[in-house]
Amino acid sequence: MRRLLVAGNWKMNASVAMTEHLLSAIRDAEIDTCDVAVFPPFPYLALAHSTIADAPIRLGAQACSLEQSGAFTGEVAVSMLSEFQVALVLVGHSERRSLYGETDKIVLLKTLRVLEQGMTAVVCIGETLEERQAGNEREVVETQLRLLLDELSDQQWQSVVLAYEPVWAIGTGETATPEQAQAMHRYIRSLLQQRSADIANTTQILYGGSVKAANAAELFSQPDIDGGLVGGASLDANEFLGICRAK
């Protein structure tokens, strides 16, 4: 049985006060209905780590560098993240793909860097509105997955979580219907099935398109949706906790 995972991606939103307040509220709520992860911006990882140190909340990073060290101004190596007990790293988020030119090859290489450090890679895939309107959403998603399916070993897949993000539903207030989301999640799992039945059965696939407390229960009730990668709603403690408690 795949356990639900609710992961809050704060993006470039945080302050010391906000980090302390938000994480304290999540910590004190003692959620046990799902696994919980938070992805604050890099400068707040140390504060986040200390705030949730004794809580069953997993700490994540929003990105990482391909490089291990050296003259790469502004980059953050995966080994640096490990010193703050970061457990998960987002790879291939749609904003990294569209704004910073991360290709499928880069996504594969960054995934490997994350796995080398013993962390979990949360690999994001999904189509734009134009691609969906053209009827190419399945082709796009399969292409984004292909290198991972071809290059990762079965053992490496044990440390991979997938997050399906319909790009047209990120930060827009639009949400795929539960039926639309389930259909794509089912298709993604069928691609995993072609590789390995065990991988298909055990890999968590999160939905990442404007998840809110109001729609979380219906989304999470779908058989192939294993939780959510939550954006804006993760910045509000009550809203995020409402998602975590959704049944």
Side-chain angles (χ1 to χ4, degrees), residues 164-185:
Y164 167 61
E165 319 175 284
V167 180
W168 46 274
I170 298 175
T172 63
E174 296 293 329
T175 308
T177 65
E179 293 75 21
Q180 287 175 314
Q182 165 58 20
M184 182 57 83
H185 279 242

Side-chain angles (χ1 to χ4, degrees), residues 18-98:
M18 172 191 154
T19 300
E20 291 177 335
H21 171 75
L22 184 52
L23 291 182
S24 295
I26 297 169
R27 178 198 63 205
D28 295 345
E30 298 183 346
I31 295 295
D32 60 6
T33 51
C34 65
D35 291 333
V36 179
V38 291
F39 293 75
F42 289 137
Y44 303 97
L45 287 176
L47 176 59
H49 168 59
S50 64
T51 304
I52 62 175
D54 298 322
I57 301 171
R58 302 166 75 188
L59 183 59
Q62 297 179 18
C64 67
S65 176
L66 271 176
E67 309 299 335
Q68 298 186 36
S69 64
F72 303 101
T73 301
E75 291 291 279
V76 176
V78 181
S79 60
M80 297 174 180
L81 300 175
S82 69
E83 294 197 289
F84 297 94
Q85 283 67 59
V86 167
L88 311 98
V89 182
L90 291 181
V91 184
H93 190 280
S94 60
E95 290 156 1
R96 300 298 308 178
R97 292 177 186 266
S98 63

Side-chain angles (χ1 to χ4, degrees), residues 193-204:
Q193 178 74 35
Q194 293 172 20
R195 164 64 191 274
S196 161
D198 184 59
I199 289 173
N201 290 333
T202 59
T203 300
Q204 291 171 306

Side-chain angles (χ1 to χ4, degrees), residues 44-181:
Y44 303 97
L45 287 176
L47 176 59
H49 168 59
S50 64
T51 304
I52 62 175
D54 298 322
I57 301 171
R58 302 166 75 188
L59 183 59
Q62 297 179 18
C64 67
S65 176
L66 271 176
E67 309 299 335
Q68 298 186 36
S69 64
F72 303 101
T73 301
E75 291 291 279
V76 176
V78 181
S79 60
M80 297 174 180
L81 300 175
S82 69
E83 294 197 289
F84 297 94
Q85 283 67 59
V86 167
L88 311 98
V89 182
L90 291 181
V91 184
H93 190 280
S94 60
E95 290 156 1
R96 300 298 308 178
R97 292 177 186 266
S98 63
L99 299 177
Y100 302 100
E102 294 195 0
T103 63
D104 295 332
K105 180 67 172 180
I106 290 173
V107 169
L108 170 65
L109 294 175
K110 288 192 174 187
T111 298
L112 291 171
R113 282 280 184 252
V114 172
L115 301 182
E116 287 166 2
Q117 286 290 326
M119 300 176 186
T120 295
V122 181
V123 182
C124 304
I125 55 178
E127 80 283 0
T128 65
L129 178 60
E130 292 76 18
E131 289 163 341
R132 174 166 280 269
Q133 288 177 335
N136 296 329
E137 63 270 22
R138 291 193 172 193
E139 179 182 350
V140 169
V141 165
E142 181 174 2
T143 298
Q144 291 172 340
L145 268 178
R146 181 48 50 197
L147 282 178
L148 299 171
L149 290 169
D150 291 346
E151 299 295 333
L152 297 186
S153 68
D154 288 4
Q155 183 176 1
Q156 288 171 322
W157 268 103
Q158 294 176 18
S159 297
V160 173
V161 171
L162 297 178
Y164 167 61
E165 319 175 284
V167 180
W168 46 274
I170 298 175
T172 63
E174 296 293 329
T175 308
T177 65
E179 293 75 21
Q180 287 175 314

